[in-house]
Amino acid sequence: MRLPKLNSRLISALTYPCQDLLWDTAPVSWYDGTVRTLELASHTAVWYHHGKPPVPIRWVLVRGPHGELDTQALLCTDQTAAPVQILQWFVLR
């Protein structure tokens, strides 16, 4: 079954088709050394591109709770990594 694109999951607080998967808040160490509280939603999927083998991934949607940050989608091939850890790796890059 083809899942909806990540940008379509931003329309609602619920992330279809996982009706029990809600946005969660988490404190995250930020670029300037401060700690910010952000909203995260995450799940696993298979990323497929025509002509390439499928790759299992964990996706993480990240947004500011008051709209102060643009929403971003992060992808990670380590499906066991926690969403906060994936975001921390992204901040450290």
Side-chain angles (χ1 to χ4, degrees):
M1 173 177 96
R2 184 178 177 98
L3 297 175
K5 294 183 178 184
L6 292 178
N7 61 1
S8 67
R9 293 176 185 266
L10 299 174
I11 297 170
S12 171
L14 292 173
T15 51
Y16 175 85
C18 305
Q19 296 296 323
D20 60 339
L21 183 63
L22 298 174
W23 289 89
D24 194 15
T25 58
V28 178
S29 297
W30 207 238
Y31 295 99
D32 58 2
T34 62
V35 174
R36 298 184 85 155
T37 299
L38 299 175
E39 294 180 331
L40 308 170
S42 180
H43 209 278
T44 57
V46 175
W47 184 25
Y48 177 77
H49 187 351
H50 182 72
K52 305 282 184 183
V55 177
I57 61 165
R58 172 167 294 283
W59 55 260
V60 181
L61 297 177
V62 182
R63 68 183 182 189
H66 306 291
E68 70 279 11
L69 296 173
D70 290 338
T71 303
Q72 293 190 24
L74 307 176
L75 306 176
C76 182
T77 56
D78 183 352
Q79 290 186 307
T80 64
V84 172
Q85 179 63 64
I86 294 169
L87 179 54
Q88 290 296 185
W89 289 332
F90 181 76
V91 170
L92 289 172
R93 77 191 192 318

